[in-house]
């Protein structure tokens, strides 16, 4: 898949520079940067935010290492879960189509003071590989 225009022109959607050394030290298994995505909030509440239903589009990145699964919107983490953490099982991963990985979760499980559900969709040619590896880890 092609990288987004924002990634090609301005470098949006890269793994943040301060996080990359940590991911490399953990042993990157799968990585994709500059990919299109969307995040959908349903019945969401957080300090200063309330959405019945809201969808935002972004350029982001995905990383799976030997120790964690991380997803970034622009350069901000939306998912950053150690594989040994019991919360990894609370990520509901599926394929929307051959090139779109969907990761849905309860906001309260990952952020104190948040409620509602969040679904992130990532358009990546490696969607099936991410899904297969995440499902193996969760079992």
């Amino acid at each position: 898949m092609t990288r987004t225009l924002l990634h090609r022109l301005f470098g949006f959607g890269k793994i943040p520079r301060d996080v990359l050394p940590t991911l490399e030290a953990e042993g990157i298994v799968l990585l994709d940067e500059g990919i299109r995505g969307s995040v959908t909030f349903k019945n969401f509440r957080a300090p200063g935010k309330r959405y019945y239903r809201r969808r935002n589009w972004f350029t982001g990145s995905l990383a799976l290492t030997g120790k964690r699964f991380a997803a970034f919107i622009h350069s901000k983490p939306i998912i950053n879960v150690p594989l040994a953490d019991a919360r990894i099982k609370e990520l509901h991963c599926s394929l929307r189509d051959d090139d779109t990985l969907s990761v849905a979760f309860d906001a309260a499980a990952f952020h104190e003071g948040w409620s509602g559900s969040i679904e992130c969709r990532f358009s990546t040619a490696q969607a099936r590989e991410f899904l297969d590896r995440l499902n193996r880890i969760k079992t």
Side-chain angles (χ1 to χ4, degrees), residues 84-105:
D85 192 324
R87 295 177 303 166
I88 194 81
K89 293 182 180 187
E90 297 202 27
L91 297 176
H92 304 285
C93 304
S94 62
L95 291 179
R96 294 308 241 177
D97 56 47
D98 290 338
D99 294 333
T100 305
L101 176 68
S102 172
V103 182
F105 55 93

Side-chain angles (χ1 to χ4, degrees), residues 9 12-13 18 21 23 25 31 38 43 45 48 66-68 71 78-79 91 99 101-102 118 128 130 135-136:
L9 292 177
F12 287 5
D18 59 332
L23 297 177
L31 176 72
S38 69
N43 299 318
R45 289 184 181 195
K67 295 184 179 181
R68 87 178 56 246
I78 184 79
I79 302 169
L91 297 176
D99 294 333
L101 176 68
S102 172
I118 299 173
R128 183 160 304 281
F130 273 103
N135 283 338
R136 274 187 255 143

Side-chain angles (χ1 to χ4, degrees), residues 39-136:
V39 59
T40 303
F41 301 93
K42 294 178 186 171
N43 299 318
F44 179 79
R45 289 184 181 195
K49 296 179 184 177
R50 289 177 185 230
Y51 310 127
Y52 171 69
R53 182 176 173 91
R54 180 177 176 152
R55 177 174 283 174
N56 294 333
W57 300 92
F58 62 84
T59 298
S61 55
L62 286 171
L64 180 65
T65 71
K67 295 184 179 181
R68 87 178 56 246
F69 174 60
F72 299 88
I73 293 177
H74 303 293
S75 61
K76 296 178 183 165
I78 184 79
I79 302 169
N80 187 5
V81 183
L83 301 180
D85 192 324
R87 295 177 303 166
I88 194 81
K89 293 182 180 187
E90 297 202 27
L91 297 176
H92 304 285
C93 304
S94 62
L95 291 179
R96 294 308 241 177
D97 56 47
D98 290 338
D99 294 333
T100 305
L101 176 68
S102 172
V103 182
F105 55 93
D106 180 20
F110 295 93
H111 300 278
E112 189 174 320
W114 289 19
S115 65
S117 63
I118 299 173
E119 180 187 10
C120 301
R121 295 181 187 176
F122 301 92
S123 295
T124 173
Q126 300 177 49
R128 183 160 304 281
E129 294 162 43
F130 273 103
L131 179 66
D132 291 344
R133 289 184 185 262
L134 286 169
N135 283 338
R136 274 187 255 143

